[in-house]
């Protein structure tokens, strides 16, 4: 394999650990905190997790390591969407295991959670691990979206662990994967298997965070990567002065990515789904909001601009959610075939008109034809509309164009409007991790090994105080059950980790609100440039603006 110069240079980077983990394994002691309770639905969660509920928070500190000496055989799984830094979690875990006892073994299950069910694995050694240090991607073992959630699967996982003598599993994943980790930990504990389960908080979406987990890994690098590109586009827009750029950024549910990119680049518009829902904004409210900015800028002679749209936006628009629900019902069961058998779009349109409510038809009728048809093309295996595939960047630019045409007729708009569209998602998920993510991930993995050594199970590896330099980070663990509540999922009550949406009373959103009116009209772009790996700490090691504002 040919290596790029940066790849070679990054192999040599030594990730920074929290101060208390720096003196070597023999000098890491554990401090036990208070017993914990789940964030809500305490009785139900306690009942569902009788063996793992209520355990204390723990923190590591400098001191004598009192963990019982035993050989560790650990399995690691990467789960869900890629996030920069995943390789370093594996490297940190591996290094800590080997530093504890060179006979410790790390198995990597291939292709995500299905790897453990199918017993597909690699056994890591130095040579293998060294090729992945400080690199992006999950290709070290691959990832997947199989859910580990049934007792039958748990039994298979147990059999595989027993076969290899594995005494602990580390699951690197988002809210769903860590929910599954908690259920697996409870199963293993209830069946006295002696196998521990530790989770690590991953997702570029940034929606796995709470009072204990300050941020998920990957968010820092992904938002820096998108912001570099958005900054470049802003500069292009400001140079050519002829296009409005509509940029959709990943973030399936929450709008953290969009908001962080907006804080970094100061675009003219950034939609925040959580605000759209709270203010019950309609499609035309949003269209007018963007058109007002286009109009005001045109009045100043600026027929260009940049708008950031979060991937999950349409689900936050109340009338759009109703429309999607009605379409899903309309096409349930055999009706999909009936619909597909209709020859022309006109016939299909009539079928839709008769099948959904008058209110939803009004919303549907507003949509550009391309988007209307998209709603019926892309369906998931259950026949439901795949909301994440809706090209909302095109939807809004088309609606803004129509609105501006109306305004032009009325004589209230005299500018020119020409749009370009972008979707940034996969571009950022496997970037070389920033120093922040390289350090954070390595620490999470190292810390996961310490949690295993000290015998904990059902815990999430926790590294906090992240807005400060790594030396001051605090390493420890939090029972996953503490982060859980009961939610309705697919018609059933389920214990899950609550997804963190953008807090409208939080400091990052408040900062955005305080500035957005000016950004909407003036040209206040900032150009973050590429991630820097080498140079002064204030350039290379800075955390996200979201984290800095939240922790200031
Ligand atoms: P995770 O929640 O698993 O981290 O994945 C998040 C994400 O990157 C979203 O932002 C995006 O909508 C989705 O994955 C895309 O998934 P896929 O890789 O399956 O296309």
């Amino acid at each position: 394999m040919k290596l790029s110069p940066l790849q070679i240079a990054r192999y040599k980077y030594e990730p920074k650990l929290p101060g208390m983990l720096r003196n070597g394994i023999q000098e890491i002691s554990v401090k036990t905190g208070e017993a914990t309770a789940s964030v809500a639905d305490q009785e139900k969660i306690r009942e569902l997790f009788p063996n793992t509920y209520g355990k204390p928070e723990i923190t590591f500190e400098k001191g004598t390591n009192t963990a019982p000496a035993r050989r560790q055989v650990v399995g690691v799984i990467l789960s869900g969407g890629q996030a920069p830094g995943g390789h370093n979690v594996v490297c940190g875990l591996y290094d800590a295991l080997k530093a504890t006892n060179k006979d410790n073994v790390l198995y990597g299950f291939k292709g995500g959670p299905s790897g453990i069910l199918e017993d597909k694995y690699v056994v890591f050694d130095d040579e293998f691990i060294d090729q992945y240090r400080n690199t992006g991607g999950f290709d070290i073992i691959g990832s997947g979206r199989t859910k580990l959630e049934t007792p039958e699967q748990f039994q298979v996982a147990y059999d595989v662990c027993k076969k290899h003598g594995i005494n602990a599993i580390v699951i690197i994943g988002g809210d769903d994967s860590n929910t599954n980790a908690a259920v697996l930990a409870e199963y293993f504990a209830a069946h006295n298997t002696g196998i521990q389960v530790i989770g690590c908080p991953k997702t570029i979406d940034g929606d796995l965070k709470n009072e204990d987990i300050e941020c998920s890994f990957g968010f820092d690098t992904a938002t820096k990567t998108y912001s570099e590109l958005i900054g470049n586009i802003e500069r292009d827009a400001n140079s050519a002065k002829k296009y409005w750029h509509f940029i959709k950024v990943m973030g399936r549910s929450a709008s953290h990515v969009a908001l962080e990119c907006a804080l970094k680049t100061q675009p003219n518009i950034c939609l925040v789904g959580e605000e759209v829902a709270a203010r019950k904004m309609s499609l035309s409210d949003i269209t007018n909001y963007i058109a007002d900015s286009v109009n005001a800028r045109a009045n100043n002679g600026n027929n260009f601009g940049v708008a950031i749209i979060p991937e999950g936006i349409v689900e936050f628009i109340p009338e759009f959610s109703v429309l999607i629900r009605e379409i899903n019902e309309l096409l349930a069961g055999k009706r999909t075939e009936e619909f597909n058998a209709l020859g022309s779009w006109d016939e299909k349109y009539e079928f839709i008109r008769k099948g959904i409510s008058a209110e939803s038809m009004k919303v549907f009728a507003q949509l550009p034809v391309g988007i209307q048809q998209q709603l019926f093309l892309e369906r998931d295996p259950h026949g439901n509309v795949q909301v994440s595939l809706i090209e909302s960047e095109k939807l809004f630019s088309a609606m803004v164009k129509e609105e501006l045409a109306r305004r032009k007729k009325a004589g209230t708009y005299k500018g020119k409007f020409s749009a370009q569209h972008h979707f940034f998602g996969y571009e950022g998920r496997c970037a070389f991790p920033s120093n922040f993510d390289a350090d954070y991930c390595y620490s999470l993995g190292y810390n996961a090994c310490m949690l295993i050594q000290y015998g904990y199970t059902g815990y999430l590896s926790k590294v906090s105080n992240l807005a400060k330099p790594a030396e001051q980070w605090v390493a420890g663990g939090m029972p996953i059950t503490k982060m859980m509540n009961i939610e309705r999922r697919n018609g059933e009550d389920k214990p899950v980790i609550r997804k963190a949406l953008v807090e409208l009373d939080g400091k990052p959103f408040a900062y955005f609100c305080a500035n957005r009116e000016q950004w909407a009209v003036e040209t206040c772009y900032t150009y973050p440039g590429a991630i820097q790996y080498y140079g002064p700490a204030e350039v290379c090691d800075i955390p996200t603006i979201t984290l800095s504002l939240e922790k200031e």
Side-chain angles (χ1 to χ4, degrees):
M1 184 173 48
K2 187 169 168 2
L3 303 176
S4 74
L6 182 66
Q7 202 171 340
I8 296 164
R10 288 309 279 169
Y11 284 165
K12 296 190 189 124
Y13 177 75
E14 283 182 25
K16 301 185 269 299
L17 282 171
M20 72 274 288
L21 300 182
R22 285 185 187 181
N23 283 14
I25 299 283
Q26 290 319 319
E27 289 191 33
I28 301 173
S29 70
V30 67
K31 188 172 133 206
T32 308
E34 300 283 302
T36 57
S38 59
V39 280
D41 309 306
Q42 290 84 5
E43 281 318 305
K44 276 195 179 155
I45 307 275
R46 183 196 298 276
E47 239 169 66
L48 291 165
F49 295 88
N51 296 281
T52 48
Y53 185 83
K55 302 284 182 213
E57 173 176 9
I58 70 109
T59 313
F60 291 116
E61 26 178 50
K62 282 182 190 163
T64 309
N65 186 334
T66 56
R70 65 165 173 158
R71 183 170 166 265
Q72 310 279 355
V73 183
V74 176
V76 65
I77 296 171
L78 288 162
S79 181
Q82 285 67 251
H87 287 166
N88 267 25
V89 182
V90 179
C91 295
L93 176 62
Y94 176 85
D95 287 353
L97 279 168
K98 292 292 180 186
T100 310
N101 176 347
K102 64 177 177 19
D103 293 330
N104 284 345
V105 180
L106 182 62
Y107 282 77
F109 287 104
K110 288 166 133 181
S114 63
I116 193 167
L117 302 177
E118 294 160 8
D119 197 16
K120 291 194 176 141
Y121 62 88
V122 294
V123 178
F124 293 111
D125 59 20
D126 290 355
E127 199 187 335
F128 191 165
I129 282 283
D130 287 349
Q131 296 171 55
Y132 291 93
R133 292 186 185 275
N134 310 303
T135 56
F138 278 8
D139 46 326
I140 188 168
I141 43 175
S143 185
R145 291 197 183 275
T146 301
K147 290 189 192 307
L148 283 183
E149 51 188 357
T150 67
E152 294 73 26
Q153 290 174 320
F154 296 161
Q155 182 59 41
V156 176
Y158 169 66
D159 292 340
V160 170
C161 288
K162 203 167 153 214
K163 177 177 155 197
H164 299 295
I166 289 174
N167 61 280
I169 295 286
V170 174
I171 297 181
I172 302 168
D175 53 337
D176 277 349
S177 308
N178 279 297
T179 293
N180 295 159
V183 183
L184 181 64
E186 177 61 30
Y187 179 93
F188 281 165
H191 291 78
N192 291 317
T193 62
I195 303 170
Q196 299 158 247
V197 182
I198 300 294
C200 287
K202 170 235 70 166
T203 176
I204 62 153
D205 290 4
D207 55 9
L208 172 49
K209 67 173 176 179
N210 47 49
E211 60 180 43
D212 296 307
I213 300 302
E214 293 178 3
C215 74
S216 55
F217 78 76
F219 179 70
D220 184 79
T221 310
T223 53
K224 281 177 176 155
T225 305
Y226 305 143
S227 298
E228 178 197 350
L229 299 175
I230 295 167
N232 295 350
I233 286 175
E234 287 180 338
R235 213 152 207 166
D236 196 293
N238 200 18
S239 306
K241 303 197 190 295
K242 62 177 179 182
Y243 293 127
W244 262 84
H245 292 266
F246 286 74
I247 306 170
K248 181 166 79 169
V249 291
M250 256 188 192
R252 197 191 334 231
S253 307
S255 306
H256 298 290
V257 172
L259 181 57
E260 171 66 19
C261 291
L263 297 178
K264 280 195 166 84
T265 60
Q266 305 188 176
N268 306 103
I269 295 287
C270 173
L271 302 179
V272 173
E274 291 80 343
E275 181 186 30
V276 165
R279 293 174 54 186
K280 299 192 172 44
M281 290 173 81
S282 63
L283 274 172
S284 62
D285 290 338
I286 299 172
T287 304
N288 276 314
Y289 171 61
I290 304 174
D292 287 348
S293 167
V294 177
N295 208 341
R297 287 178 61 74
N299 291 346
N300 297 336
N302 293 321
N303 289 301
F304 65 94
V306 170
I308 301 179
I309 320 270
E311 183 185 6
I313 188 76
V314 292
E315 279 178 289
F316 284 103
I317 306 170
E319 60 183 14
F320 208 98
S321 298
V322 176
L323 170 66
I324 301 282
R325 204 167 50 235
E326 291 190 14
I327 292 176
N328 287 340
E329 278 161 24
L330 174 67
L331 296 181
K334 291 232 170 321
R335 303 215 65 196
T336 299
E337 285 166 33
E338 208 182 308
F339 177 82
N340 289 343
L342 297 170
S344 68
W345 175 244
D346 285 349
E347 285 172 278
K348 287 181 173 164
Y349 195 91
E350 197 47 24
F351 178 94
I352 299 160
R353 197 186 58 75
K354 286 190 190 140
I356 62 176
S357 66
E359 291 78 48
S360 285
M361 193 57 206
K362 231 160 102 189
V363 178
F364 187 72
Q366 281 178 60
L367 303 176
V369 180
I371 301 284
Q372 288 177 339
Q373 294 179 339
Q374 223 173 58
L375 292 176
F376 292 87
L377 282 178
E378 311 282 5
R379 240 101 37 72
D380 71 13
H382 308 287
N384 293 331
V385 174
Q386 294 226 52
V387 181
S388 67
L389 298 181
I390 297 171
E391 293 176 305
S392 43
E393 68 284 22
K394 293 193 180 153
L395 164 68
F396 289 115
S397 92
M399 292 189 69
V400 165
K401 192 172 176 186
E402 271 179 29
E403 172 58 25
L404 293 171
R406 265 192 293 276
R407 292 185 187 191
K408 201 159 239 179
K409 254 194 190 155
T412 53
Y413 167 70
K414 298 193 169 51
K416 286 189 203 131
F417 178 78
S418 182
Q420 297 287 349
H421 307 105
H422 317 263
F423 172 36
F424 297 149
Y426 301 98
E427 293 82 348
R429 296 202 313 183
C430 286
F432 276 102
S434 60
N435 287 350
F436 175 89
D437 271 329
D439 298 346
Y440 181 36
C441 290
Y442 190 82
S443 303
L444 286 170
Y446 203 95
N447 192 49
C449 174
M450 297 318 301
L451 290 167
I452 294 168
Q453 215 192 22
Y454 273 102
Y456 293 100
T457 189
Y459 275 65
L460 200 61
S461 177
K462 170 180 167 179
V463 175
S464 54
N465 209 25
L466 295 170
K468 295 275 168 20
E471 164 72 33
Q472 296 168 43
W473 290 358
V474 178
M478 182 57 64
I480 302 177
T481 50
K482 181 178 177 219
M483 299 161 198
M484 292 178 117
N485 67 161
I486 300 285
E487 286 177 24
R488 202 93 187 133
R489 296 271 170 100
N490 300 327
E492 269 182 70
D493 281 348
K494 290 252 178 182
V496 294
I497 297 177
R498 190 183 277 174
K499 221 181 239 315
L501 299 181
V502 169
E503 286 176 10
L504 301 182
D505 54 0
K507 287 185 184 164
F509 184 71
Y511 181 86
F512 170 65
C513 287
N515 289 285
R516 66 175 160 187
E517 278 174 31
Q518 187 193 1
W519 298 353
V521 180
E522 296 171 25
T523 302
C524 304
Y525 306 150
T526 44
Y527 311 117
I531 295 174
Q532 301 298 315
Y533 300 102
Y534 305 98
E538 63 274 20
V539 179
C540 302
D541 296 353
I542 37 165
T544 57
I545 300 178
T546 302
L547 190 62
S548 307
L549 288 171
E550 281 172 348
K551 299 292 159 196
E552 75 184 0

